[in-house]
Amino acid sequence: MHDHVPTDIRGASNRRLLSMSLGLTTIVMVVQVVGAALSGSLALLADAAHMFTDAAALVIALIASAVAARPANDRRTFGYQRAEVLGALVNAVILIVLAVGVGVGGIVRLASAQVEVAGGLMLVVAVVGLCANAVSMWLLSAAQRRSINVRGAYLEVMGDLLGSAAVIVAAVVILTTGWMPADAIASLVIAVMIVPRAAGLLREVASVLTESVPRGMHVEVIREHILGTPGVRDVHDVHVWQLTRGAPVFTAHVVIDDDALQGGHAGDILSQLQGCLAAHFDVEHSTFQIEPSGHSDKDAHV
């Protein structure tokens, strides 16, 4: 119940998946840059720029994952799991900068003279990018549910997949109608898609860093479970937060019956409480301060 060592989801398995996604992303990025240069497509170049930030994000995620796997010590008693949150924060900032850059480029292209775009080459490269992003999303789909760091990388890959889809649509429009502004519009669509993902990631990072209650957990429900434990009379000073996604931490002061305390049942009650938190709320680390009836430090904060 008190082990702070990161689980395997933040260990070698995580880093292997991130490395595979990084390899795919880098290859497709190079293909898109070459394709954008040959076809003259701004949308393809915007998608390649997004791929570049994805590659950077995956490198950051790999570093953060390696740091987070380090064990706890006397200096950092909770370990280094918050490194994942910092990695996600950097990813979110990169996404915002990318959205602004792509948006400005799209507006400039629309306002300037029409540029000829090779729709066929643009379509082929976009399809390759779509397939590669789909594979990367599949690789990261399980790990992103437990790690905010991998979640950031997963969201960026998802954005790339949607971006490739937008490029495919623009290429089809150009091939069938010859309407070249479709390329610039597709780049603006990519920029717009990036913003909500960056905002969502920033909100999650802020929630962790401000030690808010994890999403989906309700203190009143946890309190009811604790009060339903035989021998428990009251619970107060309840705190629940998370070190990173999938790593909630819980503390509370619990008042138990004098008879249970004097009868030596405090240990049994403590085991029941910790088991309840682990089974019903997926809290692996919970700390309870057992108090006798009449204890007077309730809700005291200095």
Side-chain angles (χ1 to χ4, degrees):
M1 297 296 179
H2 298 272
D3 188 4
H4 296 290
V5 177
T7 58
D8 182 64
I9 200 68
R10 294 180 178 85
S13 177
N14 236 18
R15 293 191 291 277
R16 184 172 61 253
L17 293 174
L18 288 169
S19 298
M20 293 171 67
S21 295
L22 176 60
L24 277 173
T25 299
T26 302
I27 292 171
V28 174
M29 179 190 69
V30 173
V31 172
Q32 286 184 328
V33 169
V34 174
L38 296 176
S39 67
S41 169
L42 178 62
L44 205 54
L45 186 61
D47 210 22
H50 196 184
M51 280 284 194
F52 175 77
T53 62
D54 280 355
L58 287 166
V59 170
I60 292 169
L62 274 167
I63 295 172
S65 179
V67 173
R70 296 176 62 184
N73 54 44
D74 290 340
R75 270 300 275 183
R76 293 175 174 82
T77 55
F78 276 111
Y80 294 80
Q81 294 183 52
R82 278 283 168 88
E84 294 188 336
V85 182
L86 298 178
L89 176 61
V90 173
N91 286 348
V93 172
I94 290 174
L95 280 170
I96 292 171
V97 172
L98 172 70
V100 173
V102 170
V104 170
I107 293 172
V108 170
R109 173 66 70 90
L110 282 175
S112 62
Q114 181 171 300
V115 177
E116 290 293 325
V117 178
L121 179 59
M122 179 181 172
L123 178 62
V124 171
V125 176
V127 169
V128 172
L130 183 75
C131 295
N133 287 318
V135 173
S136 291
M137 282 187 65
W138 175 74
L139 289 173
L140 300 176
S141 59
Q144 64 92 20
R145 299 188 185 98
R146 295 291 304 275
S147 168
I148 189 175
N149 179 50
V150 179
R151 174 69 172 171
Y154 177 84
L155 287 175
E156 296 211 30
V157 173
M158 178 188 293
D160 265 334
L161 185 142
L162 296 175
S164 295
V167 176
I168 290 173
V169 171
V172 171
V173 170
I174 292 172
L175 286 172
T176 56
T177 68
W179 193 58
M180 298 301 167
D183 177 63
I185 292 173
S187 68
L188 290 174
V189 169
I190 292 173
V192 170
M193 288 189 300
I194 292 170
V195 174
R197 295 185 298 108
L201 191 57
L202 278 176
R203 280 196 301 270
E204 187 169 5
V205 168
S207 177
V208 173
L209 294 181
T210 56
E211 299 188 341
S212 302
V213 175
R215 179 180 297 181
M217 297 185 71
H218 304 282
V219 173
E220 62 274 14
V221 176
I222 298 176
R223 186 179 283 111
E224 289 175 3
H225 274 256
I226 293 173
L227 291 174
T229 303
V232 174
R233 296 190 59 180
D234 189 26
V235 57
H236 59 94
D237 283 328
V238 175
H239 300 284
V240 56
W241 69 99
Q242 55 185 343
L243 300 175
T244 183
R245 176 188 286 258
V249 180
F250 178 90
T251 65
H253 293 206
V254 176
V255 179
I256 66 174
D257 291 331
D258 290 336
D259 292 341
L261 189 61
Q262 294 170 4
H265 301 301
D268 294 334
I269 294 175
L270 179 60
S271 296
Q272 291 180 51
L273 292 173
Q274 291 179 322
C276 175
L277 266 293
H280 294 98
F281 304 100
D282 198 27
V283 178
E284 295 183 2
H285 181 88
S286 56
T287 302
F288 293 91
Q289 177 171 309
I290 302 297
E291 300 174 350
S293 299
H295 195 64
S296 60
D297 77 337
K298 183 175 181 179
D299 292 327
H301 297 283
V302 178

